[in-house]
Amino acid sequence: MRVSRANETDIQELVALNNKYVAQGLTLERTEQFAYAHLADYRVIRDADGGVVACAALDEYSPTIVELVSLAVTQDVQGLGYGKALIAAVEKLARKRGYEQLFAVSYSDELFLSCGFERAELALYPEKIARYTKLDKTELEVGEKHCFMKKLG
């Protein structure tokens, strides 16, 4: 498994993979415009044919805080460590860019805790709450999603 940076030819695959899990409430819907605007922020894992089978990205909230978003792994390779590899890769990218804190909102408690994240209150991230409210107010009502954070500095 090799993690690499996404490129322009991956945009449709990034959006399709991410949006595959929207109906289940596991990911927020992404557009091609979002993927294009965040292309340098995406890390991917490809199959033997070069297709994207897993992805994750960073989404900046401030010069010190960034969120891990769009973590998605195709069902046929889940459980093989791809999620952990992507979390490590975007964490490395966040450190390289000088962010002090990385956070994520997810159902995957065990995954994030095993990657060194701590539970955090979503209230620590009012910008995230504002984005949720703008995108889909029901996201705030989902009780099973938890917020996780990792100090990088």
Side-chain angles (χ1 to χ4, degrees):
M1 144 185 35
R2 186 174 150 259
V3 177
S4 61
R5 183 176 164 175
N7 57 57
E8 285 188 39
T9 60
D10 298 323
I11 289 175
Q12 289 181 340
E13 285 184 274
L14 293 172
V15 172
L17 177 56
N18 179 88
N19 292 347
K20 184 179 202 174
Y21 301 104
V22 169
Q24 297 168 302
L26 300 175
T27 56
L28 292 176
E29 187 171 1
R30 301 296 181 201
T31 63
E32 287 187 13
Q33 291 80 11
F34 178 91
Y36 182 80
H38 289 82
L39 202 54
D41 305 319
Y42 269 96
R43 294 298 177 261
V44 299
I45 298 175
R46 301 175 189 284
D47 62 17
D49 298 323
V52 175
V53 295
C55 65
L58 293 176
D59 192 11
E60 181 179 287
Y61 279 75
S62 76
T64 59
I65 298 174
V66 66
E67 182 182 13
L68 186 154
V69 299
S70 300
L71 177 61
V73 178
T74 58
Q75 290 176 334
D76 57 328
V77 295
Q78 288 180 3
L80 300 178
Y82 288 29
K84 283 185 178 184
L86 286 167
I87 290 170
V90 296
E91 179 183 332
K92 181 179 177 182
L93 179 60
R95 286 181 188 279
K96 180 179 176 185
R97 291 181 179 174
Y99 293 107
E100 296 174 11
Q101 199 172 117
L102 175 63
F103 80 97
V105 178
S106 177
Y107 287 111
S108 301
D109 295 30
E110 290 180 30
L111 174 62
F112 281 95
L113 293 172
S114 72
C115 290
F117 284 72
E118 300 174 13
R119 292 185 191 277
E121 293 297 322
L122 188 58
L124 293 173
Y125 305 100
E127 301 91 344
K128 178 66 175 178
I129 294 171
R131 286 189 192 180
Y132 268 162
T133 303
K134 184 178 177 184
L135 289 172
D136 183 356
K137 291 179 185 177
T138 63
E139 282 293 318
L140 291 174
E141 298 165 7
V142 177
E144 296 172 23
K145 274 191 179 178
H146 297 118
C147 186
F148 302 92
M149 64 84 65
K150 190 172 199 180
K151 291 185 179 183
L152 305 177

